Amino acid sequence: DIQMTQSPSSLSASVGDRVTITCQASQDISNYLNWYQQKPGKAPKLLIYDASNLETGVPSRFSGSGSGTDFTFTISSLQPEDIATYYCQQYDNLPITFGPGTKVDIK
Amino acid sequence: EVQLVESGGGLVQPGGSLRLSCAASGFTFSSYWMHWVRQAPGKGLVWVSRINSDGSSTSYADSVKGRFTISRDNAKNTLYLQMNSLRAEDTAVYYCARDRGFTMIVNYWGQGTLVTVSS
């Protein structure tokens, strides 16, 4: 199975700050990498697919980059409604695997 | 509007069985792959299973292979997960989720149904 790691596991930032999360795959997954947002008590929501493509309706402050084994997810200006846990997920090989998540809150 | 509504969760004893259902609406169900993803309390997301659009091809996580069976009834717009030989470690919220098409990218999720395996 492909192992996904994320860092940091949690972070606190101020409203308006730029927030960056990294995700690393245990082997080359090309760009088969998605990012999801999960708010407490809610289902996950797809934000970024294929490493860098913004899902329809998702605010442009969210972005993703990377390929191969190293990926980055960025919130350009953190908003209060962005409080959530963010997961990366690879789908290059079955089983689909998720990173452990990064919990983002407001300082 | 895409809607996925899970049902069938509850409390079951170790070794028992449960069948989850997911009623789909707002899209042409028979055109999309579907998935089950679970989340243990306070833990991360774990992919469980996937079925193709006509039900002829399925895939499973090793942790559930041989115990869980994914199926679908396209006439009823419903996805199922038959869970047998349940273990305490199967305790989780189970999400029904729709693929973008046949891409393995999940872009719609239900609200989830809680399965608790305990004596």
Side-chain angles (χ1 to χ4, degrees):
Chain A
D1 298 2
I2 296 174
Q3 308 303 316
M4 306 299 293
T5 57
Q6 285 182 237
S7 62
S9 57
S10 65
L11 66 90
S12 284
S14 300
V15 172
D17 281 356
R18 183 180 185 88
V19 168
T20 299
I21 298 168
T22 62
C23 175
Q24 187 168 59
S26 60
Q27 65 188 66
D28 189 336
I29 59 170
S30 185
N31 68 330
Y32 299 121
L33 189 285
N34 304 320
W35 290 96
Y36 294 88
Q37 174 193 64
Q38 187 178 32
K39 296 183 178 181
K42 300 294 187 181
K45 175 185 176 182
L46 177 66
L47 299 181
I48 303 286
Y49 65 94
D50 291 346
S52 61
N53 294 302
L54 195 66
E55 176 71 346
T56 302
V58 173
S60 59
R61 65 180 180 274
F62 296 102
S63 65
S65 65
S67 67
T69 61
D70 295 300
F71 301 87
T72 300
F73 172 81
T74 300
I75 307 173
S76 61
S77 177
L78 187 68
Q79 301 301 304
E81 60 267 31
D82 300 335
I83 300 313
T85 299
Y86 294 84
Y87 295 92
C88 61
Q89 173 237 324
Q90 70 79 25
Y91 64 101
D92 180 52
N93 278 344
L94 286 177
I96 293 172
T97 48
F98 291 86
T102 296
K103 188 174 183 180
V104 174
D105 64 27
I106 298 289
K107 192 183 296 181
Chain B
E1 179 194 3
V2 172
Q3 288 201 353
L4 299 168
V5 180
E6 301 94 336
S7 60
L11 176 64
V12 61
Q13 292 189 339
S17 298
L18 214 53
R19 188 177 84 156
L20 305 183
S21 299
C22 171
S25 61
F27 64 101
T28 305
F29 181 69
S30 59
S31 296
Y32 291 84
W33 290 7
M34 297 293 294
H35 302 258
W36 287 99
V37 178
R38 70 184 182 184
Q39 186 170 37
K43 302 296 184 182
L45 301 165
V46 176
W47 174 82
V48 172
S49 184
R50 176 234 85 187
I51 188 168
N52 70 344
S53 54
D54 67 3
S56 62
S57 174
T58 59
S59 301
Y60 298 93
D62 284 347
S63 59
V64 306
K65 202 173 293 182
R67 300 187 299 123
F68 290 12
T69 303
I70 189 172
S71 62
R72 63 192 297 160
D73 185 335
N74 286 344
K76 294 183 177 179
N77 291 343
T78 303
L79 176 73
Y80 302 101
L81 186 68
Q82 177 67 43
M83 304 186 295
N84 299 331
S85 303
L86 282 161
R87 307 166 180 166
E89 54 264 36
D90 296 318
T91 294
V93 173
Y94 284 74
Y95 293 102
C96 161
R98 196 200 83 173
D99 201 281
R100 270 182 148 254
F102 41 89
T103 63
M104 302 298 276
I105 299 172
V106 174
N107 67 341
Y108 284 100
W109 301 67
Q111 84 288 351
T113 187
L114 176 63
V115 172
T116 302
V117 184
S118 175
S119 55

